[in-house]
Amino acid sequence: MPTVAGVDSSTQSCKVVVCDADTGEVLHRGRATHPEGTEVAPEAWWRALLEAGNGLLEHVDAVAVAGQQHGLVALDAAGSPVREALLWNDTRSAQAAADLVDELGGPEKWAEAVGTVPVAAITVAKLRWLAEHEPHHADRTDRVLLPHDWLTWQLCGGPGTGAEPVTDRGDASGTGYWSPAEGAYRRDLLALAFGGRTPELPRVLGPAEAAGRTPYGALVAAGTGDNMGAALGLGIQPGDVVISLGTSGTAFALAEHPVGDPAGAVAGFADATGRYLPLVCTLNAARVLSSTARMLGIALDDLGPLARAADSGAGGLVLLPYLGGERTPNLPEAAGSLMGMRKANMHPPNFARAAVEGMLCNMADALDRLRAQDVEARRVLIIGGAAKAPVVGEIAAEIFGTPVTVPEPEEYVALGAARQAAWALAGTPEPPHWPLAAARQIPAPADGAAGRRIREAYAHARSMVYG
């Protein structure tokens, strides 16, 4: 029985699943934590991968990595990091992003060139920040990789072994210097961002192409970005929209053609199958709930039942959940705000409910942005850590005004990586069919008035604070 491993190297942790290559049945699991912060030594990801793998990777037939997108791994000529990697949620590059947008001639030019308008999260903006603020590190940078690229390279042996650094079109599409429409790097944009420097970039592999082999002989697949991995793990089809509530909140869908949003809200990414993955990303999702639970002095698992004890609308409390700045809307310096406080509504259940509603109103705005790009939303699937609380799916159906599907909690990013590994191993035109786990179906309310009122209150509060 051939087996494959999928690695989810996310912001907070590394998860590994080992699966039957034919059926997708999960046979083994592992997990290890990553350091806190918005800049991390890449070696920490490798140590976490080995800990989470716990010897499992020595016995599989193939492996693939799905990693957090956009992180800047700058390497010197020997393949060593010149500094700690800057992660996607590091917002110090906000001004650099704004400058780049202006220098190319506006957001429309960027959307046309690479499908994505730079914001602080995007790799191209981090390169500009590095060039301006740490030119000594920029001068030493010989090669630029993304987190998943770097880990894939380590699996194949790393520097000094003859292994070639590679990436895939899904993760490359999040850099701001690779065009999904053209299927090619825009080295002119790389030079624009990096003060004329043009470091080496990884070769972009096809969806089922192999990167190499591990020292133990396992085939190493191309790997991809975490959102692309989740889409592959869920097996989404046209008409499906996924709302992923992890450290970040993302809304994405499968598309047959490239998408470019001049407003910059929708990133026109590629996916891991040869298609496209228009995506809206927010900085604030599951941590809105964990931070609220901490402030209330309760366990995270107790937040859902507490929120359910409050009425729809949280008694008039509205939480703008921009706890770490925000990416969509582009408010990198924003802070969260609790609006509508009165003596009568200052109770823990209302605060808990306002946190869930605020997080989901932000995602409902993201869903609207996708629809504005002609993305069809026949079915909404909710995944991620925050989706484990039943109340989240219930309130989502109310706020989105659509039926909601909540698949059984699973490591869908890691599963997607494992499915990609099985695809590379099989060498077939399409990935193997793995059945989706059982799912909870939540119908939309017959009367959507309550959800509309929640969204109207949220929009009003945001306009009061941010215009």
Coordinates of all heavy atoms in Angstrom, one line a residue, residues 41-47 49-50 57 63 65 73 75 78-81 143 145-161 163-166 211-216 218 220-221:
A41 N 13.3 32.6 12.2 CA 14.4 31.9 11.5 C 13.9 30.6 10.8 O 13.2 29.8 11.4 CB 15.4 31.4 12.5
P42 N 14.1 30.5 9.5 CA 13.6 29.4 8.7 C 14.0 28.0 9.3 O 13.2 27.0 9.2 CB 14.2 29.5 7.3 CG 14.4 31.0 7.2 CD 14.8 31.5 8.6
E43 N 15.1 28.0 10.0 CA 15.5 26.7 10.6 C 14.5 26.2 11.6 O 14.4 25.0 11.8 CB 16.9 26.9 11.3 CG 17.5 25.6 11.8 CD 17.8 24.6 10.8 OE1 18.1 24.9 9.6 OE2 17.7 23.4 11.1
A44 N 13.8 27.1 12.2 CA 12.7 26.7 13.2 C 11.6 25.9 12.5 O 11.0 25.0 13.1 CB 12.1 28.0 13.9
W45 N 11.3 26.3 11.3 CA 10.3 25.5 10.5 C 10.8 24.1 10.2 O 10.0 23.2 10.3 CB 10.0 26.2 9.2 CG 9.5 27.6 9.3 CD1 8.7 28.2 10.3 CD2 9.7 28.6 8.3 NE1 8.5 29.5 10.0 CE2 9.0 29.8 8.8 CE3 10.3 28.7 7.1 CZ2 9.0 31.0 8.1 CZ3 10.3 29.9 6.4 CH2 9.7 31.0 6.9
W46 N 12.0 24.0 9.9 CA 12.6 22.7 9.6 C 12.6 21.8 10.9 O 12.3 20.6 10.8 CB 14.0 22.8 9.0 CG 14.7 21.6 8.7 CD1 15.9 21.1 9.2 CD2 14.3 20.6 7.7 NE1 16.2 19.9 8.6 CE2 15.3 19.5 7.7 CE3 13.2 20.4 6.9 CZ2 15.2 18.4 6.9 CZ3 13.1 19.3 6.1 CH2 14.1 18.3 6.1
R47 N 13.0 22.4 12.0 CA 13.0 21.6 13.2 C 11.6 21.2 13.6 O 11.4 20.0 14.0 CB 13.6 22.4 14.4 CG 15.1 22.7 14.3 CD 15.6 23.2 15.6 NE 15.0 24.4 16.0 CZ 15.5 25.6 15.7 NH1 16.6 25.7 15.0 NH2 14.9 26.7 16.2
L49 N 9.1 20.6 11.4 CA 8.7 19.6 10.5 C 9.3 18.2 10.9 O 8.6 17.2 10.9 CB 9.2 20.0 9.1 CG 8.7 19.2 7.9 CD1 8.8 20.0 6.6 CD2 9.4 17.8 7.7
L50 N 10.5 18.2 11.3 CA 11.1 17.0 11.8 C 10.4 16.4 13.0 O 10.2 15.2 13.2 CB 12.6 17.1 12.0 CG 13.5 17.5 10.8 CD1 14.9 17.7 11.2 CD2 13.3 16.4 9.7
L57 N 8.3 10.4 8.0 CA 8.7 10.7 6.6 C 9.7 9.8 6.0 O 10.0 9.7 4.8 CB 9.3 12.2 6.5 CG 8.3 13.3 7.0 CD1 8.9 14.6 6.8 CD2 7.0 13.2 6.4
V63 N 6.0 12.9 -0.5 CA 5.7 14.0 0.5 C 5.6 15.3 -0.3 O 6.2 15.5 -1.3 CB 6.8 14.0 1.5 CG1 8.2 14.3 0.9 CG2 6.5 15.1 2.6
V65 N 4.8 19.7 0.7 CA 4.6 20.8 1.7 C 3.7 21.9 1.2 O 3.9 22.4 0.1 CB 6.0 21.5 2.1 CG1 5.8 22.6 3.1 CG2 7.0 20.4 2.6
V73 N 12.0 34.7 2.4 CA 13.2 34.0 2.8 C 14.3 34.4 1.9 O 14.4 34.0 0.7 CB 13.0 32.4 2.7 CG1 14.2 31.7 3.2 CG2 11.8 32.0 3.5
L75 N 18.2 34.5 0.9 CA 19.4 33.7 1.1 C 20.7 34.3 0.5 O 20.6 34.9 -0.5 CB 19.1 32.3 0.5 CG 17.9 31.5 1.0 CD1 17.7 30.3 0.2 CD2 17.9 31.3 2.5
A78 N 25.6 31.1 -0.3 CA 25.8 29.7 0.2 C 24.5 29.1 0.5 O 24.5 27.9 1.0 CB 26.7 29.8 1.4
G79 N 23.4 29.8 0.4 CA 22.1 29.2 0.7 C 21.6 29.4 2.1 O 20.7 28.8 2.6
S80 N 22.3 30.3 2.9 CA 22.0 30.5 4.3 C 21.2 31.8 4.3 O 21.4 32.8 3.6 CB 23.3 30.7 5.1 OG 24.0 29.5 5.1
P81 N 20.2 31.9 5.3 CA 19.4 33.1 5.4 C 20.2 34.3 5.8 O 21.1 34.2 6.7 CB 18.4 32.7 6.5 CG 18.3 31.2 6.5 CD 19.7 30.8 6.1
R143 N 19.4 34.8 -3.5 CA 18.2 34.0 -3.9 C 17.1 34.4 -3.0 O 17.3 34.6 -1.8 CB 18.6 32.6 -3.8 CG 17.5 31.6 -4.4 CD 17.9 30.2 -4.1 NE 19.2 29.8 -4.7 CZ 19.3 29.4 -6.0 NH1 18.3 29.3 -6.8 NH2 20.5 29.0 -6.4
L145 N 13.3 32.9 -1.7 CA 12.4 31.8 -1.7 C 11.2 32.1 -0.8 O 11.2 33.1 0.0 CB 13.0 30.5 -1.1 CG 14.2 29.9 -1.9 CD1 14.7 28.7 -1.1 CD2 13.9 29.6 -3.3
L146 N 10.1 31.3 -0.9 CA 9.0 31.4 0.0 C 9.1 30.3 1.0 O 9.9 29.3 0.9 CB 7.7 31.2 -0.8 CG 7.4 32.3 -1.8 CD1 6.3 31.8 -2.8 CD2 7.1 33.6 -1.2
P147 N 8.4 30.3 2.1 CA 8.5 29.3 3.2 C 8.4 27.9 2.7 O 9.2 27.0 3.0 CB 7.4 29.6 4.2 CG 7.3 31.1 4.1 CD 7.5 31.4 2.6
H148 N 7.4 27.6 1.8 CA 7.2 26.2 1.3 C 8.4 25.8 0.4 O 8.8 24.7 0.4 CB 5.8 26.1 0.7 CG 5.9 25.6 -0.8 ND1 5.6 26.5 -1.8 CD2 6.1 24.4 -1.3 CE1 5.7 25.9 -3.0 NE2 6.0 24.6 -2.7
D149 N 8.9 26.8 -0.4 CA 10.0 26.5 -1.3 C 11.2 26.1 -0.5 O 11.9 25.1 -0.8 CB 10.4 27.8 -2.1 CG 9.3 28.5 -2.8 OD1 8.2 27.8 -3.0 OD2 9.4 29.6 -3.1
W150 N 11.5 26.8 0.6 CA 12.6 26.5 1.5 C 12.6 25.2 2.1 O 13.5 24.4 2.1 CB 12.8 27.6 2.5 CG 14.1 27.6 3.3 CD1 15.3 28.1 2.9 CD2 14.3 26.9 4.5 NE1 16.2 27.8 3.8 CE2 15.7 27.1 4.8 CE3 13.5 26.2 5.4 CZ2 16.3 26.6 6.0 CZ3 14.1 25.6 6.5 CH2 15.4 25.8 6.8
L151 N 11.4 24.8 2.6 CA 11.2 23.5 3.2 C 11.3 22.4 2.2 O 11.9 21.3 2.4 CB 9.9 23.4 3.9 CG 9.8 24.2 5.3 CD1 8.4 24.3 5.8 CD2 10.7 23.5 6.3
T152 N 10.7 22.6 1.0 CA 10.9 21.6 -0.1 C 12.3 21.4 -0.4 O 12.8 20.2 -0.6 CB 10.1 22.0 -1.3 OG1 8.7 22.2 -1.0 CG2 10.2 21.1 -2.5
W153 N 13.1 22.4 -0.5 CA 14.5 22.3 -0.8 C 15.2 21.5 0.3 O 16.1 20.7 0.0 CB 15.1 23.8 -0.9 CG 16.4 23.9 -1.5 CD1 17.0 23.0 -2.4 CD2 17.4 24.9 -1.3 NE1 18.3 23.4 -2.8 CE2 18.5 24.6 -2.1 CE3 17.4 26.1 -0.6 CZ2 19.7 25.4 -2.2 CZ3 18.5 26.9 -0.6 CH2 19.6 26.6 -1.4
Q154 N 14.9 21.8 1.6 CA 15.5 21.0 2.7 C 15.2 19.5 2.5 O 16.0 18.7 2.8 CB 15.1 21.5 4.0 CG 15.3 23.0 4.3 CD 16.7 23.5 4.0 OE1 17.7 22.9 4.5 NE2 16.9 24.4 3.1
L155 N 13.9 19.2 2.2 CA 13.6 17.8 2.0 C 14.4 17.1 0.9 O 14.7 15.9 1.0 CB 12.1 17.7 1.7 CG 11.1 17.9 2.9 CD1 9.7 18.0 2.3 CD2 11.2 16.7 3.9
C156 N 14.7 17.9 -0.1 CA 15.5 17.3 -1.2 C 17.0 17.4 -0.9 O 17.8 16.9 -1.8 CB 15.2 18.1 -2.5 SG 13.5 17.9 -3.1
G157 N 17.4 17.9 0.2 CA 18.8 17.9 0.6 C 19.4 19.2 0.9 O 20.4 19.4 1.6
G158 N 18.8 20.3 0.3 CA 19.2 21.7 0.7 C 20.5 22.1 -0.1 O 21.0 21.4 -1.0
P159 N 21.1 23.2 0.4 CA 22.3 23.7 -0.3 C 23.5 22.8 -0.2 O 23.6 22.0 0.8 CB 22.6 25.0 0.4 CG 21.9 24.9 1.7 CD 20.7 24.0 1.5
G160 N 24.3 22.7 -1.2 CA 25.5 21.9 -1.2 C 25.3 20.5 -1.7 O 26.2 19.7 -1.7
T161 N 24.0 20.1 -2.0 CA 23.7 18.8 -2.4 C 23.4 18.6 -3.9 O 23.2 17.5 -4.4 CB 22.5 18.2 -1.6 OG1 21.4 19.0 -2.0 CG2 22.8 18.3 -0.1
A163 N 20.7 19.8 -5.1 CA 19.2 20.0 -5.2 C 18.9 21.4 -5.7 O 19.5 22.4 -5.3 CB 18.5 19.7 -3.9
E164 N 17.9 21.5 -6.6 CA 17.5 22.8 -7.1 C 16.3 23.4 -6.4 O 15.3 22.7 -6.2 CB 17.1 22.6 -8.6 CG 16.6 23.9 -9.3 CD 16.0 23.6 -10.7 OE1 15.8 22.4 -11.0 OE2 15.9 24.6 -11.4
P165 N 16.3 24.6 -6.0 CA 15.2 25.2 -5.3 C 14.0 25.4 -6.4 O 14.3 25.8 -7.5 CB 15.7 26.6 -4.9 CG 17.1 26.5 -4.8 CD 17.5 25.5 -5.9
V166 N 12.8 25.0 -6.0 CA 11.7 25.0 -6.9 C 10.5 25.6 -6.1 O 10.5 25.7 -4.9 CB 11.3 23.7 -7.5 CG1 12.5 23.2 -8.3 CG2 11.0 22.7 -6.4
A211 N 9.8 17.6 -7.3 CA 10.9 18.4 -7.0 C 12.2 17.7 -6.9 O 13.3 18.2 -7.0 CB 10.6 19.2 -5.8
G212 N 12.1 16.4 -6.5 CA 13.3 15.6 -6.3 C 12.9 14.4 -5.3 O 11.7 14.0 -5.3
R213 N 13.9 14.0 -4.6 CA 13.6 12.9 -3.6 C 14.3 13.2 -2.3 O 15.3 13.9 -2.2 CB 14.1 11.6 -4.1 CG 13.3 11.0 -5.3 CD 13.7 9.6 -5.7 NE 12.8 9.1 -6.7 CZ 11.6 8.5 -6.5 NH1 11.2 8.3 -5.3 NH2 10.9 8.1 -7.6
T214 N 13.8 12.7 -1.2 CA 14.4 12.8 0.1 C 15.6 11.9 0.2 O 15.8 11.0 -0.6 CB 13.4 12.5 1.2 OG1 13.2 11.1 1.2 CG2 12.1 13.2 1.1
P215 N 16.5 12.1 1.2 CA 17.6 11.1 1.4 C 17.1 9.7 1.6 O 17.9 8.7 1.4 CB 18.3 11.7 2.6 CG 18.0 13.1 2.6 CD 16.6 13.2 2.1
Y216 N 15.8 9.5 2.0 CA 15.3 8.2 2.2 C 14.6 7.6 0.9 O 14.1 6.5 0.9 CB 14.3 8.2 3.3 CG 14.9 8.7 4.6 CD1 14.7 10.0 5.1 CD2 15.7 7.8 5.4 CE1 15.3 10.4 6.3 CE2 16.3 8.3 6.6 CZ 16.1 9.6 7.0 OH 16.6 10.0 8.1
A218 N 12.0 9.0 -0.8 CA 10.6 9.4 -1.1 C 10.6 10.5 -2.2 O 11.4 11.4 -2.2 CB 9.9 9.9 0.2
V220 N 9.5 13.9 -3.7 CA 9.0 15.2 -3.2 C 8.3 15.9 -4.2 O 8.8 16.2 -5.3 CB 10.3 16.0 -2.7 CG1 9.8 17.3 -2.1 CG2 11.1 15.2 -1.7
A221 N 7.0 16.2 -4.0 CA 6.2 16.9 -4.9 C 6.5 18.4 -4.9 O 7.2 18.9 -4.0 CB 4.7 16.6 -4.6

